[in-house]
Amino acid sequence: MMQGPDIGKAIFEHTSDSRVVELPFGLGEWHLPTGWHLFGIDVSPTKHVVFMVVAAILVFVTVRIAGRQIERRHREGKAPHGFGAAIEAIVLFVRNDVAIANIGHGGEKFAPYILTLFFFILYCNLFGLLPWGATATGNLAVTGTLALTAFVTVEVSGLVTLGPKGYLKTIVFVPPGITGIGAVLMALIMTPIEIIGKLVKPFALTLRLFANMTAGHFVILALLGLIFIFSSWLVAAATVAFVVFMMLLELLVAFLQAYIFALLTSVFIGMMRHAH
Amino acid sequence: MPVLLLRLQEATAGGEAAFTPFSINTGLIFWTIVVFLILLGLLWRLGWPAILKSVEERERRIQQQLDEAERARAEAQRLLEEHRRLAASAKAEAQELIANAKAIADKERATLLAKAREEYEDLLARARKDIEEEREKAILALRREAVDLSIAAASKLLEAQLDNEANRRLVTEYLATLEERR
């Protein structure tokens, strides 16, 4: 058996959160402060917090620059162009074909939320592909929280659109045409199912994003680990080729998962608003 | 799965427990909410409206331009129809005018011709009459001249013959008869 480094440990260390941020170009490490507490919860920043903040800032900057360019060109009566046009195309796609198409009538109101979700997840995903980067969306806490916002949005939009009575029907569901003891029985059976159905959706969102983001990194790191295990140029060449392929796949997945998260959230909102 | 749960427990239990890819850090949940909500709020106010407003305005502008183009096209069509109609009526009018003018000219020509013929007849008749009169006059004059000439000739002749013996006798005889008759 060859003596190699503990690849599994390296992979876990690379994909998991950490209190240390590796600075690019060998600038060393940034040890984040610890011991921040809020209401008894440890809220000390971690690597993923840093990358989340950076991603959020970049999203904001991107949208601002694009928005200003679009506004300026619009004022001058010119057609969209360049960077602004690219962002505009994505924004319009997410707004019209993801949000409004799936939420249905009144989907414009949810478009800013869906758009923010899409861009934030996309940037977080892409950060994981950069050298020295970390994938905040490869963390269950992050994806879970994002799914939680989706869950809250879905339920609140249902409550607002359907009214308290209509909303209650999405929990205590009695199939039409059943009355009396049958209705009570159906309600008793269906209510847990409905509640589970509600909870499964954000859970699925959480796991899907997390698993996709983490799995790709696992594969890439495992492939790269082969080089250190075998210590062979031949293996290195083959592995690097595979890793490049995986990276390109990851690039696709980064966009795809952001799209799917936004799409499914829209679908869930639409389902809730047009429930029964 | 038990391993996963163990990891979760491990990660959430102690503050400084080692992170794993499967650990759920409550602090991170807090940060995710904070970061995401701040981003959402900022973009909701400052980000998306800038893009969407411009896009919607552009959509409206383009729609407006399309509508305007459609209106202009309809207007042009209408104008063309009107022009066509006007041209047709103008043509008809012109033809009518020409026909009228032709008719008037024809009539005028006919009357002029008739008048000219009348005048010519008139002239001819007068000329004929004049010629006739002149001829009569000439004949009369000629006759008078002839009489004068013949009288003159006769007188010459008479004059010449009065010396004649025979004439003397004739006259004497005539005178004799006169005497007898008395």
Side-chain angles (χ1 to χ4, degrees):
Chain A
M1 188 67 204
M2 266 179 285
Q3 275 294 64
D6 189 350
I7 301 300
K9 187 163 163 285
I11 290 174
F12 265 38
E13 272 176 6
H14 187 87
T15 48
S16 64
D17 206 352
S18 138
R19 297 262 181 236
V20 179
V21 178
E22 293 169 66
L23 295 174
F25 306 112
L27 289 175
E29 290 176 336
W30 177 21
H31 289 269
L32 295 164
T34 52
W36 292 14
H37 285 275
L38 194 76
F39 308 122
I41 305 169
D42 182 15
V43 292
S44 313
T46 62
K47 188 163 75 172
H48 284 163
V49 174
V50 171
F51 276 95
M52 227 158 44
V53 171
V54 174
I57 290 169
L58 271 183
V59 169
F60 184 71
V61 169
T62 304
V63 173
R64 275 307 278 173
I65 289 174
R68 287 169 90 139
Q69 200 208 339
I70 291 166
E71 263 184 337
R72 185 165 47 76
R73 288 191 72 85
H74 177 68
R75 257 203 316 281
E76 291 167 2
K78 287 182 192 159
H81 175 77
F83 183 68
I87 297 299
E88 185 194 308
I90 300 174
V91 167
L92 285 186
F93 170 72
V94 173
R95 176 176 177 261
N96 296 335
D97 294 339
V98 175
I100 294 175
N102 288 300
I103 296 173
H105 187 65
E108 316 80 72
K109 277 182 292 185
F110 295 91
Y113 169 65
I114 302 293
L115 279 167
T116 310
L117 210 52
F118 175 80
F119 274 94
F120 183 60
I121 294 173
L122 176 66
Y123 274 52
C124 283
N125 292 351
L126 290 175
F127 259 115
L129 300 180
L130 291 178
W132 295 290
T135 325
T137 41
N139 189 312
L140 275 172
V142 176
T143 60
T145 312
L146 291 175
L148 189 72
T149 68
F151 176 72
V152 170
T153 309
V154 169
E155 299 307 318
V156 169
S157 76
L159 191 60
V160 170
T161 315
L162 303 172
K165 211 175 150 212
Y167 178 69
L168 206 65
K169 272 190 193 160
T170 66
I171 299 172
V172 185
F173 177 64
V174 178
I178 295 176
T179 49
I181 195 88
V184 175
L185 204 64
M186 277 311 286
L188 279 176
I189 298 168
M190 290 304 286
T191 303
I193 295 174
E194 291 283 341
I195 290 172
I196 289 169
K198 278 179 190 298
L199 294 177
V200 155
K201 289 168 189 165
F203 196 70
L205 284 177
T206 307
L207 282 188
R208 184 180 298 106
L209 184 55
F210 161 74
N212 274 288
M213 284 305 111
T214 310
H217 286 72
F218 275 14
V219 172
I220 288 172
L221 291 167
L223 281 169
L224 287 176
L226 289 178
I227 300 173
F228 300 101
I229 291 172
F230 288 101
S231 304
S232 145
W233 285 104
L234 208 67
V235 173
T239 302
V240 167
F242 267 114
V243 168
V244 169
F245 168 71
M246 276 310 294
M247 274 290 185
L248 292 174
L249 196 67
E250 277 284 273
L251 196 62
L252 170 71
V253 169
F255 278 91
L256 196 66
Q257 289 306 318
Y259 165 70
I260 287 175
F261 201 105
L263 179 79
L264 286 179
T265 306
S266 305
V267 169
F268 293 154
I269 294 171
M271 273 166 67
M272 178 52 98
R273 280 160 62 86
H274 304 103
H276 308 306
Chain B
M1 204 58 189
V3 178
L4 182 74
L5 285 176
L6 205 72
R7 293 275 189 204
L8 283 178
Q9 217 172 14
E10 210 177 82
T12 46
E16 284 310 305
F19 289 113
T20 76
F22 304 102
S23 56
I24 293 175
N25 180 353
T26 38
L28 198 53
I29 295 175
F30 164 78
W31 281 109
T32 308
I33 291 174
V34 169
V35 170
F36 184 74
L37 288 187
I38 288 175
L39 180 67
L40 181 63
L42 279 175
L43 287 180
W44 202 304
R45 289 293 304 274
L46 302 171
W48 308 124
I51 295 179
L52 293 179
K53 214 177 73 200
S54 294
V55 168
E56 271 160 16
E57 259 172 43
R58 192 191 312 139
E59 267 169 21
R60 216 172 19 249
R61 193 191 282 173
I62 290 170
Q63 189 57 49
Q64 202 179 327
Q65 277 165 354
L66 282 177
D67 289 347
E68 241 161 56
E70 181 55 38
R71 243 202 325 278
R73 207 189 60 78
E75 175 77 14
Q77 188 66 34
R78 202 182 58 72
L79 278 176
L80 186 69
E81 288 297 320
E82 200 179 307
H83 278 197
R84 244 181 223 151
R85 205 166 44 68
L86 273 178
S89 75
K91 206 169 164 186
E93 217 166 279
Q95 246 152 15
E96 201 185 331
L97 231 88
I98 289 169
N100 274 354
K102 216 178 252 173
I104 287 169
D106 275 353
K107 218 165 77 187
E108 199 74 5
R109 199 177 53 186
T111 53
L112 273 174
L113 244 131
K115 212 160 113 193
R117 187 165 287 146
E118 202 176 300
E119 256 169 35
Y120 150 80
E121 300 269 324
D122 228 33
L123 217 71
L124 204 68
R126 205 160 43 210
R128 241 178 226 146
K129 214 174 86 204
D130 281 359
I131 289 168
E132 202 62 36
E133 269 172 17
E134 281 310 304
R135 208 176 58 163
E136 296 283 312
K137 232 188 262 171
I139 288 171
L140 230 75
L142 199 64
R143 200 169 279 162
R144 201 179 293 138
E145 195 75 9
V147 169
D148 282 354
L149 276 176
S150 40
I151 289 172
S155 64
K156 279 279 183 219
L157 215 74
L158 281 173
E159 222 175 291
Q161 279 183 352
L162 271 175
D163 294 344
N164 257 337
E165 202 52 48
N167 284 347
R168 204 167 292 253
R169 208 178 46 223
L170 201 64
V171 173
T172 359
E173 275 173 15
Y174 181 64
L175 287 170
T177 59
L178 275 175
E179 265 174 36
E180 269 173 37
R181 233 179 265 172
R182 217 166 357 141

